[in-house]
Amino acid sequence: MKKDNYSRKVPGWFKVLMLVTALPVFAWPWLMSRATSAFTESGMDDSLPWTFVMLMPLYVVLSTWISYRVYASRPEVSWILQALQILVYIALAILVA
């Protein structure tokens, strides 16, 4: 079985960037409590925003993993995925505010 050498191809500064963009996933419990109070106070009956909040940890983990795996062959895609993560955090902050 051939061992993948992705970690040698990804620069250390990009690994730190991926870690920093993945750290807000630890705020998910706070986001869930904030989303619950925001959605119940507004009387929204739409489940789509609730689904976005529920899937946020899965999205962050998958996006970070794909960004790590793809960097060696397509660094532009990795940058786009990291930028999309930041935009998702901004959108979720606006959604539950």
Side-chain angles (χ1 to χ4, degrees):
M1 181 187 244
K2 183 180 174 187
K3 184 178 177 182
D4 294 329
N5 293 325
Y6 295 107
S7 63
R8 283 191 269 169
K9 297 177 183 176
V10 180
W13 60 268
F14 195 76
K15 290 178 186 176
V16 171
L17 175 71
M18 287 189 299
L19 178 68
V20 168
T21 57
L23 281 178
V25 79
F26 292 112
W28 187 68
W30 173 82
L31 184 65
M32 284 301 299
S33 67
R34 184 77 179 122
T36 302
S37 64
F39 295 155
T40 55
E41 288 173 3
S42 67
M44 288 176 51
D45 194 26
D46 191 12
S47 63
L48 188 60
W50 186 259
T51 305
F52 287 150
V53 174
M54 290 294 291
L55 291 177
M56 194 265 291
L58 179 65
Y59 169 73
V60 169
V61 169
L62 284 176
S63 179
T64 303
W65 180 72
I66 292 170
S67 179
Y68 177 75
R69 296 289 301 241
V70 168
Y71 187 85
S73 61
R74 303 226 174 182
E76 306 87 21
V77 174
S78 292
W79 279 105
I80 290 170
L81 288 171
Q82 295 304 307
L84 282 175
Q85 265 187 322
I86 293 169
L87 291 175
V88 164
Y89 295 144
I90 293 169
L92 284 174
I94 292 171
L95 182 66
V96 299

